[in-house]
């Protein structure tokens, strides 16, 4: 019976059998069952059949194998019984631990980082996304050139963990990896410069930028599609969206704003991915407002919130960047829980309870977002040349025009603007 991966030289096949293992260190903020379910969902996202989910108590990590010999034997029995060929550890493994576990379990072993990188390798749809994923793969791979996954000559461009044609000399591989990483970084620098030029153009235009952020599968893309009418992939699937998408929307009192849908975050997001996706995530760093979409029906919703904030901090997003929380998936709660959640949201600042799927609360969210974007606006008197129709249109689009009149050959506007928009208007005129 084929199980998807032949240890020495097979190819990864969708539908292969996998056992998921959680070395449980007793983290109070995380529910072990929910964590196992999340890792199983990650595996299913790349077509693996998860046959068993095991939580093993980890009192003191062992340098050679992470877990104890008795636990290895327990997992090995599940691997044999399920005819599984892959064991996924929801933990970070050193190269030595990974190799020793493969020997002890007689199966391929990958850790959480390798699994997430494999998903990103499958999901990346654009040239930029593939560059970023490959750089992350190679960065991870550079320190663990062990038998069974040296495959720089694969057609995919040299990344992937679940199969490959075999190894070449380790030193030659390391040199190839270093050279390839240097080329990728040069290409991504060019991507970053191009994005910077686009961003500067938007700021000169300019329109406020709203970035949707949140844990993977929180419903960002569903909300994005509802607000914009776009058809971004939105499924009950971890990491359904990788490449950023920007669309124009209108908000109450704001004729035009840019909404950005970004990759979902996850606990223990590999640092290689955060670094590689820096160019993409610059849209988040430069946003005027972050809308943090939360799956409020998830048992680990608070822990997921902390994970997202940790990644935002790692990206360099200042705490002063305005935040707004959209408590999503009200439709998954019963009536009593929905009422409690709506009341709790109403008593807090900058929170709205919604269902992106049904549309409940989305109108209230849009009004609240518009109010947050326009708070702190001041009143300015601005003179324009009589023929400056573009300037007049800009003021109407981005501010609240209170009054206007003609003064000789100039048009005078009394307008309420944010300090940032007033500065942007000055740049436009400059």
């Amino acid at each position: 019976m084929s199980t998807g991966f032949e240890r020495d030289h097979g190819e990864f096949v969708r539908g292969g059998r996998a056992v998921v293992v959680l070395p449980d260190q007793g983290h109070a903020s995380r529910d072990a069952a929910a964590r196992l379910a999340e890792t199983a969902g990650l595996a299913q996202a790349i077509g693996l059949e998860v046959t068993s989910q095991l939580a093993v108590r980890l009192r003191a990590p062992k340098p050679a194998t992470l877990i104890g010999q008795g636990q290895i034997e327990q997992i090995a029995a599940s691997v044999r019984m399920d005819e599984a060929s892959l064991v996924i550890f929801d933990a970070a493994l050193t190269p030595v631990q990974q190799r020793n576990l493969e020997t002890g379990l007689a199966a391929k072993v990958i850790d959480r980082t390798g699994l997430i990188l494999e998903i990103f390798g499958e999901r990346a749809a654009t040239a930029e996304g593939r560059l970023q994923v490959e750089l992350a793969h190679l960065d991870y791979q550079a320190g663990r050139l062990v038998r069974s996954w040296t495959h720089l000559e694969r057609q995919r461009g040299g990344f992937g963990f679940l199969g490959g044609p075999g190894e070449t000399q380790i030193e030659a591989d390391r040199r190839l990896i270093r050279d390839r990483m240097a080329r990728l970084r040069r290409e991504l620098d060019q991507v970053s410069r191009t994005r910077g030029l686009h961003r500067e153009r938007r700021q000169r235009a300019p329109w406020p930028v709203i970035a949707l952020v949140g844990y993977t599968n929180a419903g960002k893309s569903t909300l994005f599609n509802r607000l914009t009418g776009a058809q971004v992939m939105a499924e009950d699937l971890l990491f359904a969206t990788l490449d950023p998408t920007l669309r124009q929307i209108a908000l109450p009192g704001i004729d035009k704003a840019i909404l950005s849908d970004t990759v979902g975050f996850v606990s223990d997001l590999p640092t290689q991915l955060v670094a590689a996706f820096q160019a993409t995530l610059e849209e988040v760093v430069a946003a005027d407002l972050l809308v943090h979409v939360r799956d409020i029906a998830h048992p680990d919703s608070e822990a997921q919130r902390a994970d997202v904030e940790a990644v935002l901090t790692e990206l360099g997003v200042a705490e002063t960047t305005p935040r707004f929380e959209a408590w999503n998936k009200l439709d998954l709660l019963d009536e009593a829980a929905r009422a409690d959640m709506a009341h709790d949201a109403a008593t807090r600042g900058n929170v709205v309870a919604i269902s992106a799927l049904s549309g409940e609360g989305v109108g209230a969210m849009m009004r609240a977002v518009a109010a947050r974007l326009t708070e702190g606006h001041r009143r300015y008197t601005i003179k324009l040349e009589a023929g400056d129709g573009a300037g007049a249109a800009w003021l109407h689009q981005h501010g609240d025009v209170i009054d206007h009149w003609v003064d000789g050959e100039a048009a005078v506007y009394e307008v309420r603007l944010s300090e940032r928009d007033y500065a942007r208007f000055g740049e436009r005129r400059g």
Side-chain angles (χ1 to χ4, degrees), residues 44-219:
Q44 290 160 359
I46 51 172
L48 292 168
E49 179 189 350
V50 177
T51 57
S52 297
Q53 302 177 33
L54 306 174
V56 295
R57 185 67 177 168
L58 184 62
R59 293 181 176 83
K62 298 187 179 302
T65 55
L66 183 66
I67 58 177
Q69 185 58 40
Q71 294 166 328
I72 292 175
E73 292 172 2
Q74 174 193 353
I75 298 166
S78 291
V79 169
R80 290 192 299 271
M81 183 179 301
D82 297 346
E83 295 185 299
S85 58
L86 179 67
V87 180
I88 301 167
F89 274 76
D90 188 6
L93 298 175
T94 67
V96 170
Q97 289 170 343
Q98 198 163 3
R99 185 169 61 248
N100 290 339
L101 285 169
E102 286 191 337
T103 300
L105 298 173
K108 176 71 179 174
V109 172
I110 61 172
D111 62 4
R112 184 178 178 84
T113 297
L115 176 61
I116 293 173
L117 291 174
E118 185 69 26
I119 295 169
F120 274 53
E122 281 210 354
R123 289 280 188 276
T126 66
E128 175 189 354
R130 288 191 291 271
L131 285 173
Q132 293 172 125
V133 171
E134 185 177 354
L135 178 60
H137 271 294
L138 293 174
D139 187 24
Y140 176 76
Q141 208 174 19
R144 50 182 70 222
L145 287 176
V146 294
R147 196 174 193 282
S148 85
W149 66 69
T150 301
H151 33 58
L152 297 180
E153 58 270 43
R154 286 183 69 177
Q155 188 65 34
R156 291 170 65 187
F159 57 87
F161 292 88
L162 298 177
E167 67 177 346
T168 56
Q169 281 190 326
I170 285 180
E171 284 306 316
D173 284 350
R174 286 184 175 139
R175 185 178 65 255
L176 288 170
I177 286 176
R178 285 194 302 268
D179 293 345
R180 179 65 178 160
M181 287 176 69
R183 288 196 298 272
L184 289 172
R185 288 194 175 103
R186 286 195 295 271
E187 292 181 56
L188 284 171
D189 283 344
Q190 181 59 47
V191 169
S192 184
R193 284 193 294 272
T194 302
R195 281 191 177 276
L197 292 173
H198 291 168
R199 194 174 302 113
E200 288 175 12
R201 195 173 302 131
R202 287 199 304 272
Q203 289 174 343
R204 283 197 303 270
W207 304 292
V209 177
I210 305 157
L212 300 181
V213 299
Y215 208 81
T216 185
N217 211 29

Side-chain angles (χ1 to χ4, degrees), residues 53 92 160 177 199 215 219 228 237 250 285-286 302 335-336:
Q53 302 177 33
I177 286 176
R199 194 174 302 113
Y215 208 81
T228 65
L237 186 69
V285 177
E302 281 299 326
E335 288 298 325

Side-chain angles (χ1 to χ4, degrees), residues 296 327-333 338 341-342 353-355 360:
I296 207 64
W327 289 359
N328 191 28
K329 302 197 180 181
L330 282 181
D331 52 286
L332 297 182
L333 302 176
R338 284 157 63 100
M341 199 63 65
I354 68 166
S355 168
E360 180 182 355

Side-chain angles (χ1 to χ4, degrees), residues 12-25:
F12 166 65
V13 178
R14 298 182 72 83
R17 293 169 172 263
V19 172
V20 172
V21 178
L22 171 65
D24 186 6
Q25 302 183 59

Side-chain angles (χ1 to χ4, degrees), residues 226-238:
R226 178 167 289 278
L227 294 176
T228 65
Q231 297 298 320
V232 172
M233 181 181 177
E235 297 183 12
D236 185 16
L237 186 69
L238 296 173

